[in-house]
Each structure stands twice: as structure tokens, then as C-alpha cells.
Amino acid sequence: MSLDVVQKLERENISLASFSKRIYAYCIDEVLISILFLIIYWNAFETAKSYEEIMMLVSNFVWQIITLKIIYQTFFTWYYGASIGKIAVKITCIDVEILDKPNFIASLSRAFMRAFGETCLYLGFAWAFGNIARQTWHDKTAKTVVIDVA
């Protein structure tokens, strides 16, 4: 399947995003999500008096963090085809069948599998190193690839 995807992209003169661009986009998104999380839960963190209390708060808010990531990734992938981090580094996510941004269900599926891949010691991301289409678990599940737009 991966070879078919790559051949289809080559026929359309579309190039896959590099690993470095995907890593930069991931870092940008994580910073933005962290800032958003901190803004939402500022009152809870403001009362913390020590590093241990802050770490305890973060561990208590794990499901809220995961939910925020899923909402963020779903919305931006569905609406724009790219998260803010991807937009910043000029890459986008496309459905391999229609070569356009994924629909809502594919975006939601991709976001859930991305969160799952993170919780599995990032093995879902490492999967991209083992296939020619550079697809992670979340890309495989949603039938998407990440491409260059610049």
C-alpha cells in the first residue's frame, strides 16, 4: 500500500514532508497546546506552591490534556488540513484517496490514534521511519500522508 501511495503522489508531482519539518511542526503544536492548557487551568496552577504540587496537578489533568490535543488536532486537520505547527513549516495532511484535506471522521480518527501513539512511548510516530510513505500509526489509520506545500 505504501508504495502505491508514493507512486500516486509522484504522478501528481507531490512530495512527502521531511521528518525534520514534521518534528518542528510537532514541537510548535506542543508549545501552543501547553500554553492553551495553562491559560485554561491558570487558576489551579496559580494556587500551587511547589514543584511537586504543579507536577501533581499536571498528572491529575492528564485526560484534559489528551482531550485538548484531540480537539486541537481534529479541528485543524479537518478544517485546514494542517495544524498551526504544520502551517508554520509549510506542510499539510492529505487523504491518500482524494489528495485533499481529510474529512471530519478521518481527522478525528487520526487525532485519537495520534494520542494513542504518544501514550505508547511515541511508537506510533517511530513507525514512519519504517515505511516509504512516512506514515505514522495515525496516518495509516486515517489513510493520510503529510506533504510539502512550499
Side-chain angles (χ1 to χ4, degrees):
M1 168 104 174
S2 292
L3 186 58
D4 294 338
V5 170
V6 171
Q7 290 172 342
K8 184 176 186 177
L9 294 175
E10 286 175 354
R11 277 195 310 272
E12 297 295 326
N13 201 24
I14 300 171
S15 60
L16 292 168
S18 67
F19 288 118
S20 61
K21 280 189 173 185
R22 291 185 77 169
I23 291 168
Y24 290 138
Y26 176 84
C27 292
I28 291 167
D29 289 334
E30 287 299 303
V31 167
L32 291 175
I33 290 169
S34 297
I35 291 169
L36 183 58
F37 176 78
L38 190 58
I39 290 168
I40 293 169
Y41 292 102
W42 180 256
N43 290 338
F45 285 100
E46 194 173 42
T47 62
K49 295 180 179 25
S50 67
Y51 176 76
E52 289 79 19
E53 286 182 29
I54 292 172
M55 293 311 294
M56 187 62 105
L57 278 171
V58 170
S59 68
N60 288 338
F61 287 132
V62 166
W63 288 110
Q64 289 89 334
I65 294 169
I66 291 171
T67 302
L68 185 61
K69 286 181 176 191
I70 290 170
I71 292 168
Y72 174 88
Q73 290 295 332
T74 300
F75 174 75
F76 281 103
T77 302
W78 169 59
Y79 201 75
Y80 297 106
S83 63
I84 295 172
K86 284 183 178 70
I87 292 168
V89 298
K90 297 182 175 33
I91 60 178
T92 192
C93 179
I94 62 168
D95 183 298
V96 295
E97 296 297 320
I98 60 173
L99 300 180
D100 198 7
K101 64 184 179 180
N103 63 31
F104 178 77
I105 298 300
S107 299
L108 183 63
S109 162
R110 188 175 193 279
F112 268 103
M113 187 53 82
R114 178 186 166 108
F116 178 73
E118 285 181 8
T119 61
C120 293
L121 305 173
Y122 294 89
L123 288 176
F125 293 85
W127 196 262
F129 292 104
N131 65 75
I132 193 167
R134 300 181 188 154
Q135 288 177 297
T136 58
W137 286 353
H138 46 282
D139 287 323
K140 289 269 191 195
T141 302
K143 297 181 177 142
T144 60
V145 290
V146 180
I147 62 166
D148 271 319
V149 292

